[in-house]
Every structure is written in C-alpha cells, then in structure tokens.
Amino acid sequence: MSPLEQLGLPEDADERMVKQAYAKRLKDARPDGDPEAFQQLHSIYQQALQQCREASCVHAPRVATQPPLPVTDTVSTSSPANVVTLQFDPFYSQVLTLAGNGKAEQLGAWLAEQPDLWSLQLKSRIGHRLFNQFHADTPPMPAACIEILLTFFDMNQSRTDHDALHLQRLLRRMQLSWELQPAHRNELAARMGVRSSSERNELDINIQRLTRPLQWMQVARIGLLPNEAPYYVQFIQQMSLEHPEDLPEPFDQNQIRFWLKATDLGHLGEERLQLAALRCAAALLAGVLLGLLPGMLLHTPSERFGWTAFWWCFGVPVLPYMLWATFLLVVAVDRWQGVPERLPVRWPWLNLLLVPMLCTTASGLAEAGSPVMALVVAIVALWLAFRRLRHRSGTLFRFSSRQIWFGFWALLMLVRSLLASTGHELESSVYPALAIALALLVWGADLWRQRHRLRVGLPGFRLPR
C-alpha cells in the first residue's frame, strides 16, 4: 500500500491534501500521547510528500532555477532515520508576505497551522535558518510580527547558540526599516508620541533633513537657534530607539555623527569646536552690525564715529566665547594632568613637568616686578598640583576645590598673623612665593606616590622604594 493510500488519499493528491490529511490523523497520534504512532504517521507523511514532489517534478516543465535550500532534521526512531526536507524559499517568502501586511495575528495563526513545524528539532533548525536569512536581508518588519517570530521559534530565550546583542540589533534595524517607510509613518509617530498635525509635519521635515548630506547652511539654521541643536539630537535618539547607528539608508550617518558629537558636553571634539566657531562668528557679525548700523542710518560723519561704542558692541558678544574657550582649556588640562600613571598620555614629559614649569614662570615674573601676574600663575600651578594629586591618589586626598582654596587662605592668614606678632608686614612678593612652595610640595607628594610606575625615567635613575 502506498503512503498516499495509507493516508486515505488518491494517487494524484497534491501537497496541500497531504498536509490536511496529516493534520487530521495527528489528532489521534500526538507525540506526547503515543510516540510510536506519531513516528509511524510522520514517516508515512514524509514519504507521501516525497511522492507528491516526485510526481510534480515529472509533470512540470523544466525551468532553469536554483534548487531549494533544504532544512533537515533527523528523528530518532527504532527504524532508520527519516530525513525531513522543507522548501525554505517558499516558507521565507510567505513569512515576509504575512509580516509585510503588519498583522501579527495572521502570522501567528499561519505558523501554528504548519505541520512541518510540529517537530521541535525541525522547528529549531528552521528558526535558526530564518533568522540567519534576516541577518543577510534585514527586511522591514513591525515590532508585533517580530515578537511573534521570536516567541514561536523560542529565540527570545537566553541561549548559547546565538548572540543576543547581534539579535537585538537585527530586530531593532528591522523595526526601524518598517517604521521609517512612508506607508508606516503613523506607527513611528505613535511610538514617539506625535499627535498634532504640526508635530507630524515637523517629524516629516526632520526625517527629510536627516536623509540629506551635511550642509553648512542647515548647520547654521539649526545651530544658531537657542536649544535647537539639543532638541534635534533628542529627536534623533528617540526616533532611532537610542541607537542612531542602526538607522537604515538613506539616512546620512555623517550628519548624525556631527550633531551627536557637536552637542556632547562631556567631550571636546572637532565638531563641537566648529559649531562654537560658527556661533562666535555669528555673534561677532551681529555685534559689528549693531555698532555700525546706527551711525549709518543716522548718517553720522566719520570724524564723529565713536570707537568706544563700536568696541562695546564687538567685545560683548566675544567675551562669553572667550570665557567658554578658557573654561574648555582648563577642563582639558585638568583631565590631561589627572590621567593615571599606568595609562599612556600625550607628551608625557610635559605632563610630568608642567607644574614645576609654571612655578618657574611665576618665580620669573615675581623677580621681574610683576607680583600680581606671578600670583596668578602660581595659583594655577597650585590648583593643577592639587587636582593632579586628587585624581591620581585613589581614595586619599579627596579634597574639593572649595576646601583647597579655603586651606590656602587659612595658611595665608596664619603666616600673616605670625609676621604681625613679630612686628613685620606681609609683603606682596610673599604671596606668590608661598603659592609656589605649596604647589611644589603637593606636586612632589604626587611624584613620590607614583615613583614605582612613572611613564618616563632617566637612565640609571630610580627612586627609592
């Protein structure tokens, strides 16, 4: 008796009829209830499928196509092993078609009705082959359909046979590809909380901007408006699920990287400096125009031109940027001085001797008759020495900047009171000398603590242990 006859089917039955008959008989031969009957029925089902496929290949015209990719599974029985073959390409196409409709319920119902997937071993192999194909193609797919596939094939469990991070990135890219299509833009708007028509228009405009190459006119239009650049970066982060690098084409990654680095307050890079230079140039231009336009409009003669007002208009916008640049320089030097000795650093000799060099400069200024400038340079050296010791000493010497300045002021008051008790006055040259001595003392303490692992060393010289 042929396999088709054992399933109660005629000899000209097709695969669809075989699967329907197999599903009906499977109700009485479940693998958990009667394993032997299930194995026998499954063997008959595979033989019937093979017979149908051979018959269709005999009658079908010859077409130059690539052979289907098999997914095999070996089922352990008392009889020889049965090899299960699944036509993967039609299966994959049907998954993409159902997921492309965006109806997760239909996809889940269709997967549950596939008899080939009732074998747990074959189901696991198909799941891995399916997600490997997703890695290769990255098809757009809504989040609900992705969740259905993850749950059905048990890919959302912690397992050692796949990389969870790569899988999460793949699913994120598939979801973004789906939501960023014009036909599915409503799902993106719903996820981002966009409700009004004006917010929707702004969403479309920002997406259109991000698909264009970086242009300085666009940088000026966004960067010169107050709080516009941080809002633009917040929009990019929210739209990309906090992973802008996974945004698909045609999004311009160069533009995205520029805005992320230009608004990163914790890092001073080229992009941030370029945006600051653009803002400074715009402020200077506004100040110059503000200083010149009144005279031009009032037709003021050139001999009555007031340079004082012009410099006020020119200097007021420049001063904040000069203070900002000074602050960035101080922060950069502070971080450079605070790098642990075990880590490499640029210009190691200068990093080691910066504080003594500043102290030498302060001494030279004091000898040249400039005690005020000498005191300023000495205070900078003292501050760097304390910061260097504080960053590189672990839990020891954890003093705040306020405590450092209070201690320095208390030391000055102590020296002043001691001199006053002996009938002497504290001269102006004593202040920088005291700051220099204290800076060298603190710098020497840090040098002693790091004596065993200095980046630079003199030949034949070794500090005692």
Side-chain angles (χ1 to χ4, degrees), residues 224-279:
L224 295 181
L225 295 178
N227 299 324
E228 185 68 18
Y231 169 77
Y232 197 54
V233 172
Q234 182 183 0
F235 169 82
I236 294 174
Q237 295 283 7
Q238 186 179 5
M239 180 187 64
S240 62
L241 297 171
E242 305 296 332
H243 290 273
E245 68 278 4
D246 292 336
L247 287 173
E249 295 183 355
F251 284 88
D252 185 30
Q253 288 294 332
N254 292 328
Q255 180 186 168
I256 294 174
R257 281 192 294 269
F258 173 84
W259 287 113
L260 292 177
K261 293 182 179 180
T263 56
D264 185 7
L265 300 180
H267 176 72
L268 180 60
E270 181 181 354
E271 293 80 5
R272 191 178 174 192
L273 290 176
Q274 289 175 354
L275 185 60
L278 179 64
R279 291 173 175 175

Side-chain angles (χ1 to χ4, degrees), residues 61 83 94 201 248 255 271 283 287:
V83 178
Q94 187 66 18
N201 292 334
Q255 180 186 168
E271 293 80 5

Side-chain angles (χ1 to χ4, degrees), residues 7-264:
L7 292 176
L9 297 174
E11 293 296 327
D12 58 347
D14 56 8
E15 292 188 23
R16 183 179 61 83
M17 298 173 63
V18 171
K19 292 180 179 181
Q20 290 178 352
Y22 175 64
K24 291 180 181 180
R25 291 177 178 266
L26 194 62
K27 296 179 180 179
D28 300 327
R30 302 294 297 179
D32 51 352
D34 193 349
E36 295 182 1
F38 169 74
Q39 296 295 344
Q40 183 179 4
L41 176 61
H42 193 72
S43 177
I44 295 173
Y45 166 67
Q46 295 301 326
Q47 295 175 13
L49 283 179
Q50 186 66 23
Q51 182 176 345
C52 291
R53 290 164 183 166
E54 292 176 354
S56 62
C57 291
V58 170
H59 298 292
R62 294 183 178 274
V63 181
T65 58
Q66 295 181 351
L69 181 63
V71 178
T72 60
D73 178 36
T74 302
V75 182
S76 300
T77 59
S78 58
S79 59
N82 298 314
V83 178
V84 181
T85 303
L86 175 72
Q87 299 281 348
F88 180 77
D89 289 342
F91 173 80
Y92 182 68
S93 300
Q94 187 66 18
V95 169
L96 294 185
T97 301
L98 294 174
N101 295 331
K103 297 181 179 179
E105 295 80 5
Q106 279 187 348
L107 177 61
W110 178 77
L111 290 173
E113 293 174 356
Q114 301 304 307
D116 292 333
L117 301 180
W118 292 347
S119 172
L120 297 180
Q121 295 179 348
L122 179 61
K123 177 181 175 181
S124 176
R125 290 176 178 266
I126 295 173
H128 281 80
R129 179 68 180 90
L130 179 66
F131 280 87
N132 287 336
Q133 194 66 33
F134 285 164
H135 276 286
D137 300 340
T138 316
M141 191 174 297
C145 293
I146 293 175
E147 186 64 29
I148 288 293
L149 293 174
L150 285 175
T151 304
F152 184 81
F153 290 105
D154 295 328
M155 299 296 291
N156 53 357
Q157 303 294 328
S158 298
R159 298 163 56 173
T160 59
D161 51 0
H162 68 269
D163 192 334
L165 294 179
H166 283 81
L167 179 61
Q168 290 299 322
R169 184 180 183 186
L170 168 67
L171 303 181
R172 186 167 54 246
R173 294 175 63 187
M174 292 167 60
Q175 179 182 350
L176 291 174
S177 298
W178 168 271
E179 293 179 345
L180 290 170
Q181 292 179 348
H184 310 137
R185 197 66 58 78
N186 290 333
E187 297 189 16
L188 175 63
R191 178 170 64 82
M192 297 182 62
V194 175
R195 297 179 178 84
S196 63
S197 58
S198 61
E199 292 178 345
R200 177 59 185 270
N201 292 334
E202 187 176 1
L203 172 66
D204 296 335
I205 291 174
N206 287 335
I207 291 178
Q208 188 176 5
R209 286 176 179 172
L210 289 171
T211 56
R212 299 172 183 170
L214 182 65
Q215 298 177 355
W216 281 107
M217 290 300 297
Q218 178 181 348
V219 173
R221 184 170 58 251
I222 297 176
L224 295 181
L225 295 178
N227 299 324
E228 185 68 18
Y231 169 77
Y232 197 54
V233 172
Q234 182 183 0
F235 169 82
I236 294 174
Q237 295 283 7
Q238 186 179 5
M239 180 187 64
S240 62
L241 297 171
E242 305 296 332
H243 290 273
E245 68 278 4
D246 292 336
L247 287 173
E249 295 183 355
F251 284 88
D252 185 30
Q253 288 294 332
N254 292 328
Q255 180 186 168
I256 294 174
R257 281 192 294 269
F258 173 84
W259 287 113
L260 292 177
K261 293 182 179 180
T263 56
D264 185 7

Side-chain angles (χ1 to χ4, degrees), residues 351-353 355-356 385 388 438-448:
N351 180 272
L352 177 65
L353 300 177
V355 173
R388 181 182 176 90
L438 189 58
L440 290 176
L441 178 63
V442 175
W443 177 80
D446 174 74
L447 183 65
W448 179 261

Side-chain angles (χ1 to χ4, degrees), residues 31 61 90 159 166 188 219 250 304 315 325 346 364 379 389 393 428 442 450:
R159 298 163 56 173
H166 283 81
L188 175 63
V219 173
R304 298 183 57 188
R346 182 179 295 183
I379 288 178
L389 178 63
S393 61
S428 58
V442 175
Q450 309 295 333

